[in-house]
Amino acid sequence: MKHLTDEEIIDVLKARMKENKLALEEMKILTDELKSVNRKLEESEALKSHFISNITNEIVNPFSSILGLSANILSVEKENWKKVHSMVAMIYSEAFMLDFQLKNIFAAAKLEAGEVYPEIVKVDVQSLLSTVISSFRIEARRKKITMELKFEAEKDSSKTFYFKTDPEKLRLILSNLLHNAVSFSYEGGLITIRVWLEDGRLYISVRDRGTGLSESNQNIIFDRFRRVESGINSTNRGHGLGLSINKAMLDILKGNIRVQSESGRGTIFTFDLPEGEADAPAIATDSNEMFFDDQQIF
Amino acid sequence: MNAPETHFLYPSTLFVSRKHVVVSTVLGSCVAVCLHDPVNGVGGINHYMLPLWNGQGLPTPKFGNIAIMKLAEKVYAMGGSKAYLVAKVFGGGNVIENKCEGLLVGNRNADIACELLAEMGIRIVAKSLGGTRGRKIEFDTLTGEVRQRII
């Protein structure tokens, strides 16, 4: 065996020390990462346990309103029947919100159970958008908010614009964005919904001129059960599921969502999705191809 | 015997059945865990994209730790028994060239399956993991047989 000089031994030791140091540094980075993930999980768990009390407003309040209003209608004298119309409108609006919130809760449950598939059909995007927008009209009117739709996806206005996607998921995604936009808008505000095509992808943005989001809040809004204190609408606190559902739904549709916002100046949410494949995936069972060549059986 | 039903498994979803269904899916760096209880006749499969849920967004079966736990829960709920349950694991190819520094997502996806299944005491009887190419697999929920083609 070759004898090493002192210098050579020192060099080898130095190199090993350096390696160790690098390994330690790497370990430290990983530990830090682990710590932050742990903190997130703890927070998520804590928020989850507050979920029931958070959704009280969303479910119990509409129910009491519906019950109370129906009771009032029953006791209305015949000559005052005109009052009934406005009460029925309120019942409708409460029931609509209840239905919307329950849809979200069930959507979250189905997503977490891994039971959500894209169900792609040809969608008349403009009419879907109009339906969703008009479903929020009563809520918007209450706050004197104007909603405008800028449909820029099709130049030729004589033809209906179709896009292959999942209409139910698109509807829920849009409803969540619109609900947030209405909730976080100031009285008399303006909400702009813009639709356009870029590289074959459908882009939809929802812009409000409301409270806006600070940069730190922009990072947490897609986490579940997270609600941002707005100060604007303390009676309607939400359950903090909407945006996390949107993100997971868009994952399934291979879409993206991002937020641009400035505190006090409003928020723009933009999402985009590719056109889906109308039939079952081309890769679905095609038993012939499985018969020959290189298949393995386990 | 009637021809089995077919089901295409999308990423981030899982599928469990007591009926005879052939489930197909396509894997790149994703991993699919197939669980099968031949005695009670329950078969299930998942398809996850990332190893661990990091607390962001919803804990969906997009993440290995969630997907494997949920799959096992559902198999048990449908009458599967741990005593007879066996696992087959596929995927985790490193099809995208070293995108993130350090660890490759395919490897990490594959590792988490082996670790979690060992922790849960479920035996892995077959696996095809890693490599640099994608896989197309068909899982038969009745027989537990998996046919694989490298793509």
Side-chain angles (χ1 to χ4, degrees):
Chain A
M1 196 179 132
K2 189 181 141 233
H3 279 280
L4 294 169
T5 65
D6 285 353
E7 282 84 32
E8 279 171 328
I9 290 173
I10 286 169
D11 282 346
V12 169
L13 283 175
K14 268 189 186 160
R16 287 196 185 162
M17 296 269 275
K18 208 175 158 192
E19 261 170 41
N20 274 342
K21 213 181 144 205
L22 275 177
L24 269 173
E25 268 167 24
E26 216 165 276
M27 189 97 106
K28 194 180 168 308
I29 294 169
L30 287 175
T31 314
D32 287 346
E33 240 169 64
L34 192 61
K35 271 189 202 153
S36 81
V37 168
N38 263 340
R39 202 174 326 114
K40 278 219 116 151
L41 292 177
E42 273 167 23
E43 277 171 15
S44 182
E45 231 6 77
L47 288 166
K48 187 181 178 181
S49 56
H50 289 138
F51 179 60
I52 294 296
S53 58
N54 287 344
I55 60 164
T56 306
N57 275 323
E58 305 299 317
I59 290 182
V60 177
N61 293 359
F63 255 128
S64 350
S65 306
I66 291 169
L67 285 172
L69 287 161
S70 320
N72 285 348
I73 289 177
L74 286 175
S75 64
V76 163
E77 302 291 327
K78 246 190 190 150
E79 54 269 27
N80 287 334
W81 65 272
K82 270 192 172 162
K83 271 190 188 165
V84 171
H85 186 265
S86 72
M87 284 196 267
V88 170
M90 279 158 88
I91 288 182
Y92 174 80
S93 142
E94 294 292 342
F96 169 78
M97 285 319 288
L98 190 60
D99 177 56
F100 167 59
Q101 301 301 359
L102 288 176
K103 272 194 187 126
N104 263 324
I105 290 165
F106 294 135
K110 274 190 118 179
L111 281 163
E112 292 190 12
E115 288 167 0
V116 179
Y117 309 105
E119 288 165 59
I120 308 291
V121 292
K122 242 168 98 178
V123 179
D124 176 350
V125 180
Q126 188 157 15
S127 93
L128 185 144
L129 274 163
S130 308
T131 320
V132 177
I133 292 171
S134 64
S135 68
F136 280 92
R137 202 132 270 165
I138 297 174
E139 294 303 309
R141 202 180 295 150
R142 198 181 283 172
K143 289 177 77 178
K144 300 187 182 64
I145 292 166
T146 318
M147 295 188 284
E148 58 170 6
L149 172 60
K150 289 189 175 169
F151 198 83
E152 295 157 11
E154 185 67 272
K155 298 278 179 287
D156 184 359
S157 55
S158 62
K159 270 191 285 177
T160 316
F161 171 70
Y162 289 107
F163 194 79
K164 290 196 206 87
T165 187
D166 185 321
E168 285 316 308
K169 292 180 186 59
L170 188 58
R171 205 186 301 271
L172 192 63
I173 293 166
L174 274 167
S175 300
N176 277 320
L177 293 182
L178 271 181
H179 178 247
N180 281 353
V182 172
S183 303
F184 296 113
S185 277
Y186 298 112
E187 276 225 10
L190 173 68
I191 294 170
T192 311
I193 299 105
R194 201 161 84 83
V195 186
W196 71 99
L197 274 177
E198 210 175 295
D199 303 328
R201 295 175 79 91
L202 181 72
Y203 281 74
I204 301 181
S205 73
V206 176
R207 175 180 181 192
D208 67 60
R209 279 84 172 166
T211 50
L213 286 158
S214 67
E215 221 160 283
S216 60
N217 279 339
Q218 285 176 36
N219 294 325
I220 60 163
I221 46 171
F222 293 107
D223 295 352
R224 64 174 184 168
F225 309 133
R226 279 292 197 161
R227 294 168 302 118
V228 173
E229 288 306 318
S230 68
I232 198 174
N233 205 342
S234 50
T235 52
N236 186 8
R237 300 182 312 156
H239 44 48
L241 277 178
L243 288 173
S244 61
I245 289 169
N246 276 10
K247 187 134 181 34
M249 289 276 191
L250 282 163
D251 262 353
I252 283 165
L253 299 176
K254 298 192 173 70
N256 308 294
I257 185 164
R258 66 201 150 275
V259 58
Q260 292 159 269
S261 181
E262 222 180 289
S263 257
R265 308 199 61 171
T267 307
I268 309 174
F269 280 101
T270 309
F271 67 90
D272 63 271
L273 11 117
E275 186 139 31
E277 309 227 345
D279 345 301
I283 31 225
T285 321
D286 176 5
S287 42
N288 280 337
E289 80 174 290
M290 281 306 215
F291 273 121
F292 42 87
D293 70 21
D294 48 355
Q295 71 158 307
Q296 301 155 275
I297 298 176
F298 293 88
Chain B
M1 198 168 74
N2 293 332
E5 284 174 41
T6 57
H7 177 85
F8 180 78
L9 188 75
Y10 284 94
S12 307
T13 65
L14 48 90
F15 182 86
V16 181
S17 181
R18 296 187 63 96
K19 289 193 288 185
H20 190 198
V21 184
V22 173
V23 188
S24 61
T25 197
V26 176
L27 304 160
S29 59
C30 296
V31 164
V33 175
C34 311
L35 294 183
H36 185 238
D37 175 343
V39 179
N40 296 301
V42 186
I45 176 172
N46 62 18
H47 179 159
Y48 60 88
M49 304 166 81
L50 296 168
L52 293 164
W53 181 52
N54 59 3
Q56 279 169 6
L58 295 173
T60 61
K62 180 184 176 179
F63 306 98
N65 57 340
I66 308 283
I68 292 167
M69 293 299 176
K70 291 239 159 107
L71 177 66
E73 272 169 28
K74 208 161 171 186
V75 167
Y76 295 144
M78 285 222 174
S81 159
K82 201 172 199 166
Y84 308 116
L85 212 56
V86 290
K88 297 179 183 179
V89 191
F90 301 88
N94 295 301
V95 282
I96 304 163
E97 273 180 36
N98 210 347
K99 205 178 92 188
C100 49
E101 69 281 356
L103 294 162
L104 293 152
V105 68
N107 291 346
R108 290 165 62 209
N109 279 338
D111 290 346
I112 199 80
C114 301
E115 279 167 32
L116 278 178
L117 289 167
E119 222 172 83
M120 293 159 80
I122 299 172
R123 202 154 50 93
I124 299 176
V125 292
K127 61 184 167 187
S128 167
L129 296 164
T132 54
R133 293 173 67 187
R135 295 170 169 82
K136 178 182 168 177
I137 63 164
E138 287 190 352
F139 169 60
D140 188 316
T141 57
L142 190 72
T143 62
E145 184 179 274
V146 178
R147 286 159 185 258
Q148 173 183 264
R149 247 166 46 106
I150 301 287
I151 48 174

